[in-house]
């Protein structure tokens, strides 16, 4: 059974930091591109950051470049999102996603709420 479990969300003041984690089980983690998405109320889900299976070559949405950092630890089957200089517009439910493009497989976590107070 595949599970992606996010943690680390919460309430933070503007300018603060949070570190999200997504622990995966039931998959060969290193095969999967890992991504963080977010969805704010009344808005579509948007891609925040992506990291390939072996790490390196990360990509970010323009809105978070220079503030967020995605990383992964394949030994722990975990992907992280370090979020610094948070803004109220970063408020959303954050989801992790695992993609194995070769096999056309993808899985989503249940999401974790991030709220940034002004």
């Amino acid at each position: 059974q595949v599970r992606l479990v996010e943690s680390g969300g919460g309430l933070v003041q503007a300018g603060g930091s949070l570190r999200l984690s997504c622990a995966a089980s039931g998959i060969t983690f290193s095969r999967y591109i890992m991504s963080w998405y977010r969805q704010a109320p009344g808005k579509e889900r948007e891609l925040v950051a992506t990291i390939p299976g072996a790490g390196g070559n990360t990509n970010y949405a323009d809105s978070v470049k220079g503030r967020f950092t995605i990383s992964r630890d394949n030994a722990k089957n975990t992907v992280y999102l370090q979020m610094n200089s948070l803004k109220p517009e970063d408020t959303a439910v954050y989801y992790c996603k695992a993609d194995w493009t070769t096999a056309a497989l993808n899985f989503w976590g249940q999401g974790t709420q991030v709220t940034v107070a002004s």
Side-chain angles (χ1 to χ4, degrees):
Q1 181 182 2
V2 178
R3 292 190 69 200
L4 299 178
V5 180
E6 300 98 333
S7 60
L11 173 64
V12 64
Q13 294 293 316
S17 299
L18 283 174
R19 188 193 195 204
L20 305 183
S21 299
C22 172
S25 59
I27 59 173
T28 304
F29 187 68
S30 61
R31 289 178 175 170
Y32 286 76
I33 298 167
M34 297 302 297
S35 303
W36 287 97
Y37 285 73
R38 67 185 181 186
Q39 188 167 19
K43 295 188 177 181
E44 293 188 354
R45 193 171 296 189
E46 64 172 350
L47 178 63
V48 175
T50 297
I51 186 167
N57 292 330
T58 55
N59 286 285
Y60 298 92
D62 288 343
S63 58
V64 306
K65 280 181 182 176
R67 300 188 298 121
F68 290 11
T69 302
I70 188 171
S71 61
R72 66 190 295 158
D73 185 338
N74 286 353
K76 295 182 178 180
N77 286 2
T78 301
V79 62
Y80 306 97
L81 186 68
Q82 177 67 45
M83 306 186 294
N84 299 329
S85 302
L86 283 160
K87 305 175 181 180
E89 51 264 43
D90 294 318
T91 295
V93 177
Y94 284 71
Y95 300 88
C96 69
K97 183 185 181 188
D99 281 284
W100 183 13
T101 54
T102 302
L105 291 174
N106 64 83
F107 304 98
W108 289 90
Q110 84 288 349
T112 186
Q113 176 70 47
V114 171
T115 303
V116 183
S118 57

